[in-house]
Amino acid sequence: MEKKKMMIIDGTHVAIEGEKNLVELCRKIGIKLPTFCYHSDLSVYGACRMCMVEDERGRLMAACSTAPRDGMKIFTNTLRIRTYRRMILELLLANHCRDCTTCANNGKCKLQTLAVRFDIGGVRFPNAQPFTMEETYIDESSPCIVRTPSKCILCGDCVRECNEIQNVGAIDFAYRGSKAQISTAFGRPLAETSCVGCGQCSAVCPTGALVINDCTTQVWNAVDRKDTFVTCEIAPSVRVTIGKDLGIGDGENAMGRIVASLHRMGFDEVFDTSTGADLTVIEEANEFVERISTGENMPLFTSCCPAWVQFVEKKYPEFLPNISTCRSPMSMFSATIKEYYRDNLPEGKTKHYHVAFMPCTAKKFECRRDEFKTEYGPATDEVLTTQELIRMIKESGIVFDELEPESVDMPFGTMSGAGVIFGVTGGVTEAVLRKISTDNSRTTLEGISYSGVRGMDGVKEATVMHGEREVHIAVVSGLANASRLLEKIKSGEANYDLVEVMACPGGCVSGAGQPYMPFEAKTERGKGLYSADRVSTIKRSQDNPLMKELYSTVLNGKEHELLHVHYTHK
């Protein structure tokens, strides 16, 4: 039998069982080393030096970039290391904007957290920020992300996320030495770059240098106006992610409490975007069947993710004809709701304002696109993320975990389980397969779920039968994975009929607008959505009785106008 490899950490013997670095090994025995630049799903950068440990010979080494070795002996909390870490924190704080109480990241900032952890009661060095107009510059050009360079600590997390995970390359390091900074190409505003608004850079930023563009003030103002009828919709994934910051646990279905909260805050009607997802399933499945029969513009790419659509527009315009003409569930549902209430506003209300609560920062851009505006204005007046919804609930003084759940409102209060699972990678594909399947038996539905479309892998492949024809499917999350797949399709190396793409790794449960969780912990969120699907009495979108009613009334003769869109090269 092969001898087990061991090392000693702070006097404790630890077995080495495939851990890539000392950070992982320390976490295994309950020691959380401080880090700024380390993320398990990004490459090792080793810039912040907060994770330094000391060996028995007094040598210091970065735990994130040091692999465990048999017989190794290290210490993680010596006086020398504590002094070293405090010095790093003081130097960072001396070169950092300290308007913490008004920062969007207040309470979530890792620099703030570590300063408290290491009892930094004062900084011995003068504050070097800000000095120049360039350093005080705040880039608010993007509707999705606000960038404040004076709060950057040069950890490089955003750069690696944007380049390695998303393959967008909107930001990178510029200049050298003391003048080094994170910048866009030629210092352009973020909105004028290749940025697609996915927001994953803000999800990994440890400070407030990159944050979500907060639009809660506009929504509060609308709720407060007496002449305005305010409706809202809640994306499927929000129900299983909001609980992390509100006391009920990550992955638990909190939809009923969200509805109750929004009613208390003054929203007149609250709906579930899963209903809009049912519309998307029906339209996208019909489009897929039509394209299979004609063979034109294959494979069909899903169009639910606005960051993915922008990615194709900006980097792979040759694939634009392959993008489904279907609007996203949010845009379909918003247009339907606006159309319904155009002639059905309650007495005393002269204006209609519709809000969408989404997991995604790119949705803020989507709702502002000219393609989704009519002569009456935008279909979705404003998009708020899960993080913004959490702030609104806390600001209202609502004790979320003590609320009695409430149901969504009529007349759009019916949805299927197929619509709910849209929030996790593979969910769109599974919902479409349920639609094009002629057999509604439980065995068939289970067979679809085990066909290979489920799971958090970045690229999944499945083959299913549609009549006498084999249908080849790819499910992709993360834009770097999507880019590699597109290159294979271009070269002829890969051939598919249907490709589902979500910009955020793992799908909407990992959206940048969600409370942050390491990727490996997000599996529970996906399980929460599948659990909600299991208890749903309606499994397929076409079995939702509301669909037949909508197509015969509100959507009658307006299906293309309200449910479809065509994108062009940007």
Side-chain angles (χ1 to χ4, degrees), residues 164-178:
E164 296 174 7
I165 306 300
Q166 298 299 71
N167 194 33
V168 172
I171 50 178
D172 209 330
F173 282 97
Y175 310 111
R176 297 188 178 196
S178 62

Side-chain angles (χ1 to χ4, degrees), residues 1-2 76 83 91 184 490 506:
M1 182 181 294
E2 185 179 352
T76 68
T83 303
L91 289 170
T184 58
K490 284 172 65 174

Side-chain angles (χ1 to χ4, degrees), residues 188-209:
R188 292 193 184 109
L190 203 56
E192 298 176 15
T193 69
S194 58
C195 176
V196 297
C198 71
Q200 289 298 312
C201 56
S202 69
V204 297
C205 178
T207 62

Side-chain angles (χ1 to χ4, degrees), residues 234-338:
I234 306 159
S237 63
V238 174
R239 73 198 66 201
V240 294
T241 60
I242 195 171
K244 177 180 181 292
D245 287 354
L246 293 174
I248 65 168
D250 212 37
E252 183 174 334
N253 188 346
M255 186 64 181
R257 289 189 175 98
I258 298 172
V259 175
S261 297
L262 291 167
H263 282 151
R264 289 194 181 188
M265 283 189 275
F267 287 84
D268 294 295
E269 303 286 358
V270 182
F271 306 116
D272 188 340
T273 310
S274 301
T275 302
D278 282 337
L279 287 171
T280 303
V281 171
I282 292 171
E283 292 296 314
E284 200 157 69
N286 290 341
E287 183 179 15
F288 178 56
V289 171
E290 181 181 345
R291 290 208 194 184
I292 281 183
S293 63
T294 63
E296 293 183 4
N297 297 325
M298 295 292 281
L300 174 68
F301 290 106
T302 59
S303 55
C304 300
C305 175
W308 153 244
V309 171
Q310 272 206 84
F311 186 73
V312 175
E313 287 177 317
K314 292 183 175 182
K315 302 196 80 167
Y316 291 93
E318 64 270 30
F319 283 106
L320 278 173
N322 299 76
I323 295 283
S324 169
T325 64
C326 295
R327 296 187 180 197
S328 70
M330 179 192 84
S331 293
M332 278 194 184
F333 199 27
S334 295
T336 303
I337 291 169
K338 279 289 186 75

Side-chain angles (χ1 to χ4, degrees), residues 298-497:
M298 295 292 281
L300 174 68
F301 290 106
T302 59
S303 55
C304 300
C305 175
W308 153 244
V309 171
Q310 272 206 84
F311 186 73
V312 175
E313 287 177 317
K314 292 183 175 182
K315 302 196 80 167
Y316 291 93
E318 64 270 30
F319 283 106
L320 278 173
N322 299 76
I323 295 283
S324 169
T325 64
C326 295
R327 296 187 180 197
S328 70
M330 179 192 84
S331 293
M332 278 194 184
F333 199 27
S334 295
T336 303
I337 291 169
K338 279 289 186 75
E339 182 66 20
Y340 174 81
Y341 282 112
R342 196 153 59 84
D343 298 318
N344 290 287
L345 285 178
E347 187 176 350
K349 303 289 186 179
T350 58
K351 299 175 183 176
H352 182 197
Y353 191 89
H354 184 67
V355 182
F357 291 100
M358 294 284 129
C360 171
T361 55
K363 290 290 183 184
K364 290 175 176 284
F365 171 80
E366 180 183 342
C367 78
R368 289 165 171 78
R369 291 189 68 131
D370 291 336
E371 291 92 335
F372 301 117
K373 294 177 181 177
T374 68
E375 58 180 304
Y376 305 105
T380 313
D381 291 290
E382 193 55 79
V383 167
L384 298 184
T385 63
T386 312
Q387 291 184 35
E388 290 167 283
L389 174 56
I390 290 168
R391 286 199 292 274
M392 291 180 74
I393 291 171
K394 289 181 176 179
E395 184 179 344
S396 301
I398 294 170
V399 184
F400 190 76
D401 59 340
E402 295 182 7
L403 285 177
E404 287 293 326
E406 296 179 12
S407 62
V408 294
D409 294 297
M410 300 302 286
F412 304 106
T414 310
M415 68 291 302
S416 75
V420 173
I421 60 175
F422 257 55
V424 64
T425 175
V428 178
T429 299
E430 183 172 338
V432 169
L433 293 179
R434 292 183 189 184
K435 168 66 173 66
I436 65 176
S437 171
T438 56
D439 184 358
N440 193 26
S441 69
R442 180 176 177 180
T443 302
T444 300
L445 294 178
E446 287 180 349
I448 291 172
S449 68
Y450 289 107
S451 64
V453 297
R454 291 193 180 187
M456 299 295 275
D457 292 340
V459 180
K460 295 168 287 187
E461 294 181 323
T463 301
V464 298
M465 296 301 297
H466 176 60
E468 300 297 319
R469 189 187 192 286
E470 278 191 341
V471 175
H472 300 282
I473 298 167
V475 176
V476 187
S477 65
L479 291 175
N481 289 327
S483 185
R484 285 188 283 269
L485 192 79
L486 290 175
E487 293 296 336
K488 288 182 178 180
I489 293 173
K490 284 172 65 174
S491 68
E493 184 181 344
N495 183 36
Y496 302 103
D497 299 299

Side-chain angles (χ1 to χ4, degrees), residues 223-241:
V223 170
D224 197 50
R225 289 195 290 266
K226 303 299 181 186
D227 64 342
T228 303
F229 183 65
V230 183
T231 58
C232 67
E233 58 181 284
I234 306 159
S237 63
V238 174
R239 73 198 66 201
V240 294
T241 60

